[in-house]
Amino acid sequence: MQLRVLSLSVQGGISTAIALRRQLKHDNFTIYELGNEVGGTWRANTYPGCASDVHTHWYSLSTDLNPNWPQSHVFQPDLKQYWQDLAHKYRLYDHIVFNSKVVSAEWVPKTQVYRVEVESVDGKRLVEYGRILVAGTGILNTPNYPTELSGVKKFKGDWFHSANWNHSVDLRSKRVAVIGNGCSAAQFLPIIAEEPTTQIVQFWRTPMWFLPKWRDTYSPLMQWVFTNIPLTLRWYRNFLMFRQEMLYMTVIRGGPNTWLRNRFMKGLTKYLKENAPEKYHDVLTPNYPFGCKRLILDTGYYESLHRPNVELNNDGIVEVNETGILTKKGETIPLDVIILGTGFLANDLPFHVRGSDGRSVHEYYKQQGGPTAYYGTMTPGFPNFFILSGPNTATGHGSVIFTEEVQINYMIKVIKPILSDLATAFEPTDAASDSYNAWVQSKLGKSVWNACTSWYRAEEGKGKITGIFPGTFVKFWWTLREPVWGDFKTVLGAGALGAGVYAIRNPEVVDHILGNLSKQASQLLSQVSSYVH
């Protein structure tokens, strides 16, 4: 049986492949990678200052901790190298098809497999088949180009998105617009501002809450301790997770107006006033509660605003034209370079998937009012299809690597009966998915994430909350610790020997499958009886 793993993101494809080998001793898989090398996010994003905004000892696989990280929040080259080293360690390169874009996948009911269409960079197309499909494309993979900036294509200077940084463009002695003030812009603006001849104007729509700089350097002694004293690194990783969980429990959780949240916001406002220029205090102070948008670390952003070659402009953009930007105040600002730090489209599958009932994933999302999935991982009508970092899986206060590992461990338990030929396919029922998502949305409806516009929400940031899980990491792990077999539709397999061994070891799964088979038989008998009479 061929297990196909689709990957545009290092976390998804590589992590899944490692789990398949470690936990199931399974080698029959393929990873399709859009780029020409392993690295995913950390291969594609190469803008100046690009780094993890989560502690790297937590932003690592639990199976492969690295005691030699030089800093608490390491930069892009180190992260890219980490994932490349893992691909070598687990001998994954022979399983990766590089420079390949997955165009579509369609479930074929007759053969119970997915028909996957793949396009190479030179335009050639091929078709592959796989029984299990894993979308490891990540939550933030498609650069966002806001509609009001569509005129950038007419701009006669150089322009690019931060996710596709053009290193051939020399910014010296240029007038540069930085559009956006999210995580990426907050990292690269201080770096490009170090060149005094580069004149920078930053545009944004909404001010952001910035957390004080947390980057620490690990001394050789600390690295030695992590390497040589058993369990020290594991304990430290758990401490980092505990600290972020406490931030969630004490500050982020709950409605928009809590006493602890308001106290925390006063502290962040004080930090802003102590570090940013006084003339920008008002425009930099958010008017929405902390936690509603993605947390941003101050990696020198406030300090860079003191530079004479940096100015802020929050007048609003009417359009981008051939020579620059027209603001809502009627001022035309001439520019040589425009850099879009406008983030990504969240939870947007970059390929089409059609399931057993003829619907596509995008059609299902539209019917649900936004991206929706059972446990954020599977979707009704799509057998054996798993979405890593799917809808409502992010927590907003920690490591996506941990989240994906939880999902992968859940997936491994679901596909074991398939690999043993006890079953051919599993898919969640509509009732189970609807019940789970009703719980998710009931919790989120009372939360801080309902208090502002953000990429956590559908309909241009104003609709259904689709990006956030309403709880701690521990809660997410507990929710996905074991499959609820009664929530699935099942197609039986045909391999007697493998099924027999699996059945002996996993009677609870067999009970579910037999129960499902009995229910289907009863329904069929009822239909036949009705027809006869």
Side-chain angles (χ1 to χ4, degrees), residues 106-115 131 354-358 383 424-425 491:
E106 182 176 359
W107 179 253
V108 184
K110 184 176 180 179
T111 54
Q112 298 287 292
V113 296
Y114 278 98
R115 180 185 184 276
R131 179 151 294 170
R354 197 165 296 279
S356 58
D357 59 4
T424 300
V491 178

Side-chain angles (χ1 to χ4, degrees), residues 189-204:
L189 190 148
I191 305 299
I192 65 174
E194 291 177 356
E195 170 54 52
T197 65
T198 301
Q199 299 296 315
I200 301 169
V201 183
Q202 185 183 24
F203 299 84
W204 79 93

Side-chain angles (χ1 to χ4, degrees), residues 192-376:
I192 65 174
E194 291 177 356
E195 170 54 52
T197 65
T198 301
Q199 299 296 315
I200 301 169
V201 183
Q202 185 183 24
F203 299 84
W204 79 93
R205 290 185 291 196
T206 309
M208 308 291 280
W209 287 110
F210 280 78
L211 296 171
K213 183 162 49 179
W214 282 356
R215 179 173 284 125
D216 298 317
T217 299
Y218 295 121
S219 66
L221 174 60
M222 182 63 75
Q223 294 179 31
W224 183 92
V225 169
F226 286 154
T227 302
N228 295 286
I229 300 181
L231 300 180
T232 303
L233 183 53
R234 184 72 58 183
W235 177 91
Y236 181 65
R237 174 188 170 91
N238 291 339
F239 163 75
L240 294 174
M241 177 175 172
F242 172 78
R243 188 171 70 178
Q244 292 302 102
E245 292 281 66
M246 289 303 297
L247 174 64
Y248 174 86
M249 293 293 291
T250 58
V251 178
I252 300 176
R253 186 181 66 166
N257 296 306
T258 65
W259 182 81
L260 281 173
R261 189 191 312 280
N262 291 334
R263 291 285 297 176
F264 197 79
M265 289 162 58
K266 287 182 179 179
L268 295 183
T269 301
K270 182 174 182 289
Y271 174 76
L272 183 159
K273 292 180 176 179
E274 290 176 348
N275 290 274
E278 184 176 356
K279 63 181 178 178
Y280 294 136
H281 287 176
D282 289 342
V283 297
L284 286 174
T285 303
N287 60 357
Y288 58 87
F290 172 80
C292 187
K293 293 179 180 285
R294 180 79 166 98
L295 311 184
I296 301 181
L297 294 182
D298 179 15
T299 55
Y301 175 74
Y302 283 163
E303 182 181 351
S304 70
L305 300 182
H306 289 277
R307 294 179 174 273
N309 60 327
V310 178
E311 64 177 285
L312 302 184
N313 188 311
N314 70 331
D315 294 340
I317 297 175
V318 173
E319 65 174 9
V320 180
N321 53 42
E322 293 183 353
T323 60
I325 288 176
L326 173 64
T327 73
K328 291 182 178 180
K329 286 190 174 181
E331 180 184 8
T332 297
I333 299 178
L335 298 164
D336 302 304
V337 181
I338 296 176
I339 304 174
L340 303 179
T342 47
F344 300 84
L345 299 175
N347 285 309
D348 182 51
L349 278 179
F351 58 94
H352 294 284
V353 183
R354 197 165 296 279
S356 58
D357 59 4
R359 285 182 305 182
S360 71
V361 169
H362 293 96
E363 288 169 342
Y364 176 75
Y365 283 176
K366 186 176 181 179
Q367 291 169 0
Q368 296 293 318
T372 304
Y374 171 75
Y375 287 1

Side-chain angles (χ1 to χ4, degrees), residues 35 104 226 310 365 392 441 450 454 468:
S104 64
F226 286 154
V310 178
Y365 283 176
N392 297 112
Q441 293 302 321
N450 219 15
S454 75
I468 287 290

Side-chain angles (χ1 to χ4, degrees), residues 331-446:
E331 180 184 8
T332 297
I333 299 178
L335 298 164
D336 302 304
V337 181
I338 296 176
I339 304 174
L340 303 179
T342 47
F344 300 84
L345 299 175
N347 285 309
D348 182 51
L349 278 179
F351 58 94
H352 294 284
V353 183
R354 197 165 296 279
S356 58
D357 59 4
R359 285 182 305 182
S360 71
V361 169
H362 293 96
E363 288 169 342
Y364 176 75
Y365 283 176
K366 186 176 181 179
Q367 291 169 0
Q368 296 293 318
T372 304
Y374 171 75
Y375 287 1
T377 306
M378 301 183 72
T379 308
F382 297 84
N384 303 347
F385 179 52
F386 300 86
I387 307 173
L388 302 184
S389 288
N392 297 112
T393 56
T395 60
H397 65 280
S399 173
V400 69
I401 303 299
F402 179 91
T403 298
E404 289 191 343
E405 281 195 280
V406 169
Q407 289 185 282
I408 290 168
N409 289 334
Y410 173 85
M411 180 197 73
I412 291 294
K413 293 174 182 178
V414 173
I415 69 175
K416 280 181 72 175
I418 299 173
L419 298 181
S420 300
D421 280 342
L422 180 64
T424 300
F426 289 103
E427 66 171 272
T429 65
D430 283 291
S433 184
D434 291 346
S435 175
Y436 172 74
N437 282 287
W439 171 80
V440 168
Q441 293 302 321
S442 69
K443 294 291 185 181
L444 291 174
K446 307 169 188 175

Side-chain angles (χ1 to χ4, degrees), residues 485-531:
W485 295 107
D487 286 353
F488 293 103
K489 297 178 183 177
T490 311
V491 178
L492 292 182
L497 179 59
V501 173
Y502 187 87
I504 293 172
R505 295 178 178 176
N506 302 272
E508 74 285 354
V509 183
V510 178
D511 287 344
H512 157 67
I513 292 176
L514 292 178
N516 236 355
L517 182 62
S518 176
K519 184 187 299 184
Q520 293 169 12
S522 296
Q523 292 172 347
L524 179 61
L525 183 61
S526 176
Q527 291 172 1
V528 172
S529 176
S530 173
Y531 177 77

